[in-house]
Amino acid sequence: MEKPSPALSVLKTLVVLAISISILVPMLVVVSTSLASDAEIREAGGYVLFPTEPTLEAYRTIFASPLIFRSLGVSVLVTVAGTLIALFVTITMAYALSRPVLFGKPMLLAIVLTMFFSPGLIPLYLMIKELHLLDSLWSLILPTAFAAFNFIVMRSFFMALPQELLEAARIDGASDFRILWQIVMPLSKAVIAVIGLFYAVAYWNAFFNAMLYINDQELWPIQLILRSYVIQGTSMTADQLGVQQTAAPQSIKMAVVVVALVPILLVYPFLQKYFSKGVITGAVKG
């Protein structure tokens, strides 16, 4: 590739800088407001960029609240269990359909069609109801335990693996499960990490299924708390939080946003190195 001109390099730098500022400044405002006092928030008009007297009162309040602590536990449980189940389903199906099996192409076509057609909310709700999954954490896990796009990427990656290696293992008497566990999966750590992150982010950020299927507030995930008390602007009183005394309502809302963001922000840097190798290789070579 030709080296870009100085003008183009400067333009790219300015664009990246503008995008970075547009992302970092709102995050800074959220964190700063969560650390600000009630008087400082009122004086600033609702949002604080640089608090003069930072306080952790909002974080003490939400971590002392059974509502917030329980919702975090629900989100962690749903994310971990859902990601493991989704990875198991995706890996096994992708490996099976990457092999020359009977009815492989019709089944693959049926899976691809699910990317373009959805059953709709009412049939899906009725199915969840008939399965007696309402007010159950399984209603947050099972409906999204498989994504056609993730399946296609993983299948393409499996098909790009050296077939001679798999055939040699089969000649030595290895079963399909042993080939998948001891050969395919160790060679596919990159794509598994990326797809796992995709599923984890989807489960962690999901609130719509909880809004449809969960009526018991004790089973609300943290994202539904965000929607109810932050996006819709509902005030979070001491009785609702289950504490004796609360910090500034705006500080509590921003603190909940920070707590909801931190887990994914902590996981992402450890898996970032797998993105180009996992997604691009799986999509292009297949």
Side-chain angles (χ1 to χ4, degrees):
M1 297 179 61
E2 296 183 2
K3 186 177 180 179
S5 62
L8 184 59
S9 299
V10 172
L11 179 61
K12 289 181 178 179
T13 303
L14 292 176
V15 171
V16 172
L17 184 61
I19 295 174
S20 301
I21 292 175
S22 66
I23 295 173
L24 293 177
V25 170
M27 293 183 64
L28 177 61
V29 170
V30 169
V31 175
S32 299
T33 305
S34 70
L35 297 173
S37 62
D38 191 14
E40 194 170 11
I41 292 174
R42 289 199 304 268
E43 183 180 352
Y47 296 97
V48 178
L49 185 58
F50 297 107
T52 55
E53 298 180 359
T55 175
L56 296 175
E57 189 62 31
Y59 293 95
R60 295 191 189 99
T61 299
I62 63 174
F63 283 115
S65 167
L67 174 65
I68 304 298
F69 199 77
R70 186 170 53 243
S71 65
L72 281 172
V74 170
S75 290
V76 170
L77 178 61
V78 170
T79 300
V80 173
T83 301
L84 292 177
I85 292 174
L87 279 177
F88 174 79
V89 173
T90 305
I91 290 172
T92 52
M93 187 173 292
Y95 175 74
L97 292 180
S98 66
R99 305 295 97 204
V101 295
L102 187 63
F103 303 120
K105 289 186 177 180
M107 189 179 298
L108 178 61
L109 178 61
I111 293 173
V112 172
L113 287 177
T114 62
M115 298 179 63
F116 305 101
F117 300 100
S118 173
L121 289 179
I122 295 178
L124 189 57
Y125 180 86
L126 293 176
M127 182 183 70
I128 296 296
K129 182 179 179 181
E130 289 299 321
L131 293 174
H132 305 288
L133 295 180
L134 294 179
D135 280 334
S136 169
L137 294 183
W138 288 111
S139 64
L140 308 181
I141 296 175
L142 296 181
T144 52
F146 179 81
F149 172 79
N150 295 338
F151 159 78
I152 291 173
V153 172
M154 190 165 289
R155 175 182 176 272
S156 300
F157 193 95
F158 287 169
M159 293 181 67
L161 295 176
Q163 300 302 310
E164 297 81 3
L165 184 62
L166 306 185
E167 293 300 328
R170 191 177 299 277
I171 293 173
D172 289 339
S175 63
D176 282 318
F177 288 104
R178 187 172 183 180
I179 293 173
L180 174 61
W181 180 256
Q182 295 187 348
I183 298 177
V184 174
M185 290 184 62
L187 294 175
S188 307
K189 290 180 180 178
V191 70
I192 292 174
V194 172
I195 299 303
L197 182 62
F198 286 170
Y199 278 122
V201 171
Y203 276 112
W204 182 263
N205 290 331
F207 72 93
F208 193 66
N209 283 353
M211 187 174 63
L212 288 178
Y213 309 132
I214 304 296
N215 296 317
D216 187 358
Q217 193 173 6
E218 293 186 357
L219 297 179
W220 280 11
I222 188 64
Q223 301 301 334
L224 196 54
I225 299 292
L226 278 176
R227 179 187 178 276
S228 300
Y229 294 107
V230 178
I231 297 177
Q232 292 185 334
T234 306
S235 60
M236 304 179 73
T237 63
D239 292 337
Q240 291 172 326
L241 291 172
V243 295
Q244 297 294 329
Q245 185 178 0
T246 64
Q250 187 72 355
S251 296
I252 294 177
K253 292 179 181 179
M254 296 301 105
V256 173
V257 174
V258 173
V259 170
L261 286 174
V262 165
I264 293 299
L265 292 179
L266 292 178
V267 172
Y268 180 79
F270 295 100
L271 301 179
Q272 185 181 8
K273 62 181 180 179
Y274 295 113
F275 264 75
S276 59
K277 183 178 178 181
V279 175
I280 296 177
T281 303
V284 174
K285 285 191 176 181

